[in-house]
Amino acid sequence: MTEMGKRLEGKAVFITGAASGIGRQSAVRFAAEGAQVAVVDVDADGAATVADEVIGAGGKAIALRADVSSEGEVAAAVADAEEAFGRLDVMFNNAGIMHGDDGDAQATEETVWDLTMDINLKGVWFGCRHGIPALRRSGGGSIINTASFVALVGAATPQLAYTASKGAVLAMTRELAVIHARENIRVNALCPGPLRTELLMSFLDTEEKRQRRLVHVPMGRFGEASEIAEAALWLASDESSYVTGTDFSVDGGLTAAYVTPE
């Protein structure tokens, strides 16, 4: 903790997918803890709204538009954030999609697979590719990659491209954590359980589908984006200084009920 009691005081944070859901909640929460926040999203208006919300609450934020599947746009956004803040300390690669036509191996079209991989996996890679040098210039920092509980267990409702992309994010996170551990760069995967977000509710678009998912959650409810933001805050802060290469599950007990230790 800093003398002022703010957990991210003096830190500059870059959050993708920050116009809604986990990203929005994290931007607001991180700013309240003293961070300067780059609110990054393909939805420029949405990013601007969140940045205005942060500023209106007395925080510091800039809005940047970037499609994370475009390396050029990610590189430019990272450069803009570093120029605006003078440094970057936290890279939260959170942007992702869950396509409505994502199904099983037979039902999922190649276009859906490719789009999902471009955003969910390649987007995280681009964030790390350009975020790591920025963190290195700041003397180290924290990278948080949003994976999912489906990276650890299969999904009851078929979403093969999404599940495969999140499993790959988890594997990439572990390797990057090992590679950069002695550079004071920590890399962790945040694995949320089922959340009451627009992204998931639009995918689980019937009560039957929602109950099919909830039956596997010991707590018996969907999580809230704000609860994931609290977990991300801990990973972003110096409180987690000895934590790297983890799959940090925040899932209402779901994986505990289904994953057997080796």
Side-chain angles (χ1 to χ4, degrees):
M1 297 284 282
T2 66
E3 290 183 0
M4 296 181 65
K6 292 192 174 182
R7 298 157 73 185
L8 297 181
E9 190 70 41
K11 294 187 183 295
V13 178
F14 187 100
I15 305 176
T16 65
S20 61
I22 296 170
R24 175 188 170 277
Q25 292 290 337
S26 296
V28 172
R29 187 72 181 91
F30 287 17
E33 289 291 343
Q36 304 175 89
V37 182
V39 180
V40 186
D41 205 285
V42 69
D43 175 5
D45 291 340
T49 297
V50 174
D52 288 345
E53 179 181 356
V54 167
I55 294 167
K60 299 177 181 178
I62 59 170
L64 298 171
R65 188 214 174 267
D67 176 352
V68 297
S69 69
S70 165
E71 181 172 11
E73 293 189 20
V74 173
V78 170
D80 287 346
E82 194 175 14
E83 180 179 1
F85 300 145
R87 61 185 296 120
L88 277 183
D89 302 282
V90 178
M91 190 79 184
F92 189 4
N93 295 307
N94 170 70
I97 64 166
M98 184 181 295
H99 200 288
D101 292 330
D102 193 358
D104 60 22
Q106 286 71 51
T108 304
E109 297 292 338
E110 186 175 4
T111 53
V112 172
W113 178 276
D114 288 345
L115 178 62
T116 302
M117 292 297 170
D118 282 349
I119 295 172
N120 291 7
L121 179 57
K122 191 182 286 186
V124 172
W125 171 43
F126 288 153
C128 292
R129 183 179 178 90
H130 295 281
I132 287 169
L135 267 58
R136 192 182 285 134
R137 287 188 286 272
S138 297
S142 174
I143 296 174
I144 307 163
N145 297 328
T146 300
S148 170
F149 76 96
V150 300
L152 302 168
V153 298
T157 304
Q159 48 182 58
L160 192 64
Y162 181 84
T163 298
S165 71
K166 295 301 185 178
V169 166
L170 180 54
M172 180 168 59
T173 297
R174 288 170 172 159
E175 180 151 327
L176 288 172
V178 173
I179 292 170
H180 298 286
R182 301 215 175 178
E183 296 182 82
N184 194 34
I185 295 174
R186 299 181 296 106
V187 191
N188 291 287
L190 187 57
C191 297
L195 304 180
R196 192 181 304 281
T197 61
E198 183 179 348
L199 181 68
L200 183 60
M201 293 302 100
S202 62
F203 182 77
L204 303 177
D205 55 0
T206 67
E207 187 60 25
E208 181 181 3
K209 287 181 180 178
R210 292 174 185 176
Q211 291 304 316
R212 180 77 176 90
R213 183 63 56 89
L214 278 180
V215 73
H216 298 284
V217 181
M219 283 190 175
R221 67 172 177 86
F222 290 106
E224 302 295 337
S226 59
E227 294 174 304
I228 308 304
E230 293 293 340
L233 172 61
W234 185 74
L235 289 174
S237 76
D238 293 337
E239 295 163 19
S240 58
S241 58
Y242 198 52
V243 178
T244 196
T246 65
D247 49 278
F248 188 21
S249 297
V250 187
D251 62 5
L254 192 157
T255 52
Y258 291 94
V259 175
T260 302
E262 294 181 359

